[in-house]
Amino acid sequence: MGASGYIGQHFARRLARHPAFADPLLLAGDRSVGRRLDDVWALDVPVPPELADRRFVARTPRQLQAARVNLAFGALPSGHAGPLESELLQRGIAVFTNAADHRRDAGVPLLVPEVNADHLRVLGGRDSRRPPLVANPNCTATGLVLALAPVWDLLAPAAVHVTTYQARSGAGIPGLGAAELSANVIPHIAGEEEKVAVETAVLLGKRRGRRVVPSAVPILVHAARVPTRDGHLEAVTVVARRAPSESSLRRAWTEFDPLARLPLPTAPHPPIQLATEDDRPQPALDVWAGTPASARGMAAVVGRIRWSAPHLRFFVLTHNAVRGGAGGSVLNAELALAAGDLRPRGTG
Ligand SMILES: NC(=O)c1ccc[n+]([C@@H]2O[C@H](COP(=O)([O-])OP(=O)(O)OC[C@H]3O[C@@H](n4cnc5c(N)ncnc54)[C@H](OP(=O)(O)O)[C@@H]3O)[C@@H](O)[C@H]2O)c1
């Protein structure tokens, strides 16, 4: 859904040859129905040949149900996405969404698999027969929690301060051409600072049965839009209550790989890469970090680490549309499939 947009096109790349989710129907709005993926392609990487000629179509939830579709990936604008996603669920179709509408609903896990895989257990809330609705967090929160999770318990933070340098593509295809972003920085992204603070607290929160109790650590955010194309860079300061050695912090980051034993085709191993050069991470050089090849763009790059208790300072970079968008959603679906929360393809 929203397959003609920036996140939708990244979905097409990730699903074109996916072992479990390949051969998608590409749904779009009135502007794009009838056009081919190739006609609207806006990414700076090649269009997947398997889907280049595929035309965008319009389908109602009722038509999708009749066609025995059982899984939808969502890349629609928030506001428009919510009611449609609710109707899909009522019709037995699982939804993995990038939109914000249902992120705070009971029974909807907000998920970054390396950080809070156990939050998948909140699925469905009181109605456990409902198909899963799983939300990605905001793309900036994704990078922040990936960097914080490995060192969280070592530091026992009293507060986290973060200033973001967010790429144009975070505003979708309209953001790529936005004239006000030419040689400029805009110190405001509507709703972003609140979303990052609230969602980071949920992601780092503890699950109690089918509820998540958010972390109470204050997260103070400044969000700015900068004229880079892809990749959200974040300058993070953690105010710590403990004083571990710098080597133990570095080891916690480099050894972090909680999905190592799970068969998730697009999980990055390792999920955190430590940059050693003084001038990294840079969006232009590091945004596609991630191994194996199926996980390019899925790793977070942490660098410029400075530790002088009680302040740990570092930068983290993630690809907003891959790790923070389509790739994060596909990884969530891979986790749900491996956990038995998703019916395999063709089971109706
Ligand atoms: N960009 C990012 O880095 C990022 C990261 C994480 C999450 N997200 C979230 O992902 C979602 C998509 O963002 P995006 O950046 O891909 O935006 P985008 O490039 O503007 O794409 C929007 C998509 O939604 C479709 N659409 C818009 N209005 C519609 C309507 N009324 N009915 C049906 N389809 C409609 C568009 O279709 P047409 O081509 O027909 O107009 C297009 O396919 C948003 O909720 C956003 O907040 C974005």
Side-chain angles (χ1 to χ4, degrees):
M1 300 187 291
S4 54
Y6 204 71
I7 296 297
Q9 294 183 26
H10 274 284
F11 267 126
R13 274 195 83 235
R14 307 199 73 73
L15 298 176
R17 285 181 223 162
H18 194 281
F21 310 129
D23 199 21
L25 264 181
L26 304 182
L27 307 190
D30 295 343
R31 231 165 36 96
S32 304
V33 166
R35 302 177 78 190
R36 300 175 326 146
L37 183 62
D38 211 8
D39 297 334
V40 303
W41 194 249
L43 311 193
D44 61 353
V45 286
V47 62
E50 297 85 349
L51 297 175
D53 289 339
R54 188 152 302 184
R55 292 186 190 278
F56 299 108
V57 296
R59 294 281 187 278
T60 63
R62 181 194 288 270
Q63 288 170 323
L64 294 173
Q65 181 185 29
R68 297 172 71 81
V69 165
N70 61 8
L71 167 62
F73 288 104
L76 288 169
S78 299
H80 179 73
L84 194 62
E85 292 170 353
S86 299
E87 193 180 342
L88 289 169
L89 288 190
Q90 280 159 14
R91 294 184 177 278
I93 298 170
V95 178
F96 288 77
T97 184
N98 283 273
D101 306 66
H102 290 299
R103 280 185 195 155
R104 298 195 205 170
D105 291 4
V108 176
L110 190 63
L111 203 62
V112 174
E114 292 91 338
V115 173
N116 66 336
D118 76 305
H119 290 196
L120 204 53
R121 302 272 62 82
V122 311
L123 268 176
R126 264 172 274 156
D127 182 3
S128 53
R129 290 156 309 168
R130 203 177 75 166
L133 169 55
V134 176
N136 295 13
N138 165 285
C139 43
T140 309
T142 301
L144 182 60
V145 295
L146 276 168
L148 289 174
V151 293
W152 192 253
D153 289 341
L154 285 173
L155 294 166
V160 175
H161 299 253
V162 57
T163 301
T164 72
Y165 307 75
Q166 300 187 211
R168 288 166 175 266
S169 67
I173 289 179
L176 291 181
E180 71 272 22
L181 271 172
S182 177
N184 197 13
V185 173
I186 299 177
H188 177 244
I189 303 174
E192 187 80 358
E193 293 169 354
E194 193 233 352
K195 273 190 245 171
V196 175
V198 169
E199 294 175 15
T200 298
V202 171
L203 290 155
L204 295 170
K206 295 273 180 261
R207 183 177 60 84
R208 302 265 180 268
R210 288 191 184 274
R211 283 182 53 237
V212 172
V213 180
S215 156
V217 175
I219 316 280
L220 299 128
V221 187
H222 295 282
R225 185 78 70 200
V226 300
T228 46
R229 183 189 164 97
D230 288 311
H232 290 353
L233 185 66
E234 307 179 44
V236 183
T237 304
V238 181
V239 184
R241 284 185 296 210
R242 294 195 186 127
S245 65
E246 181 164 334
S247 61
S248 64
L249 291 169
R250 287 177 182 273
R251 202 166 47 245
W253 270 314
T254 50
E255 291 178 357
F256 181 73
D257 197 358
L259 305 177
R261 290 172 192 281
L262 287 175
L264 310 185
T266 66
H269 300 294
I272 309 276
Q273 295 186 5
L274 285 194
T276 49
E277 300 88 336
D278 282 343
D279 58 357
R280 305 281 279 274
Q282 293 179 26
L285 300 178
D286 299 309
V287 78
W288 285 102
T291 51
S294 61
R296 286 191 70 225
M298 291 292 286
V301 185
V302 170
R304 302 277 336 281
I305 300 160
R306 288 144 291 156
W307 174 223
S308 171
H311 296 125
L312 173 68
R313 287 177 292 163
F314 61 87
F315 279 82
V316 58
L317 173 76
T318 38
H319 196 308
N320 50 294
V322 179
R323 181 70 224 209
S329 237
V330 172
L331 186 61
N332 287 348
E334 291 173 1
L335 182 72
L337 189 63
D341 290 311
L342 205 54
R343 286 168 295 159
R345 192 180 186 83
T347 56

